[in-house]
Amino acid sequence: PNLPPDVHAHMLRQGWGSKRGVVVEFGRWQEVLDRIIRENESLPDGEKRLFDGVNFDTYGEDYDDLREFHALLPKIMRPGGVYTYFNGLAPDNIFFHTVYCRLAQAELASLGFETKFDVVDIDTRDPEIWRGVKRRYWWGDKYFLPTCTLTGAAGSE
């Protein structure tokens, strides 16, 4: 959900829209998730539309938006499903970025997710990679990639 038009078009050009078992939703996440949840409420359990994996491009969202999105995930995901998101809060301050990671981890645990962050080395120094980008969205040389698995055991960490 919440894919900018150029990302959506790129995904379709890459063939993601026609891959078996893949659904690419386009639109504001608030509208897309609301529609999916409403549709699911009228279906028996075996026919509900539940996802094995969800990726959320959070660029341009704040933490309250992320928290609201997280609260809806258990309604649209299968147990054992994996969720990830662009982990870009406080991208210019590693201390506050780590605080956001831990906060998200604790809040996701209360919703039944086990969350880990894989540290990925990245090089953002080359100005060429930012050419054409209106607003630089990452500053560090490490990225903390979240992998959140819905275990169903709400309250665990």
Side-chain angles (χ1 to χ4, degrees):
N2 202 30
L3 294 174
D6 54 337
V7 173
H8 185 246
H10 177 74
M11 289 182 75
L12 294 178
R13 279 193 307 274
Q14 295 294 313
W16 284 100
S18 59
K19 288 186 185 273
R20 187 170 159 247
V22 173
V23 177
V24 178
E25 292 286 355
F26 181 70
R28 294 184 68 240
W29 67 263
Q30 295 89 338
E31 295 160 3
V32 171
L33 289 186
D34 184 55
R35 177 178 44 79
I36 293 169
I37 291 167
R38 269 196 334 269
E39 289 169 359
N40 280 347
E41 287 172 348
S42 65
L43 296 171
D45 282 345
E47 296 178 29
K48 292 184 187 298
R49 186 172 165 205
L50 300 175
F51 294 87
D52 297 315
V54 172
N55 177 59
F56 181 30
D57 180 0
T58 62
Y59 183 76
E61 304 282 343
D62 62 26
Y63 195 78
D64 288 336
D65 296 321
L66 189 62
R67 179 182 286 137
E68 185 180 342
F69 183 85
H70 287 167
L72 298 174
L73 285 172
K75 296 179 179 183
I76 66 160
M77 291 184 68
R78 293 185 195 289
V82 177
Y83 160 63
T84 190
Y85 57 95
F86 171 63
N87 188 18
L89 293 166
D92 56 347
N93 185 309
I94 192 63
F95 174 79
F96 288 114
H97 181 70
T98 303
V99 169
Y100 275 121
C101 288
R102 296 297 171 225
L103 180 60
Q105 186 176 40
E107 290 180 351
L108 284 161
S110 74
L111 297 169
F113 286 88
E114 181 180 303
T115 301
K116 67 178 185 140
F117 293 91
D118 292 315
V119 180
V120 179
D121 291 324
I122 59 173
D123 183 0
T124 61
R125 293 173 295 176
D126 183 358
E128 195 59 32
I129 64 173
W130 301 108
R131 185 181 305 273
V133 175
K134 290 181 183 176
R135 183 173 160 214
R136 185 173 173 161
Y137 52 86
W138 193 257
W139 295 90
D141 60 356
K142 306 269 187 233
Y143 177 74
F144 298 86
L145 175 67
T147 302
C148 317
T149 304
L150 183 59
T151 64
S156 63
E157 226 175 299

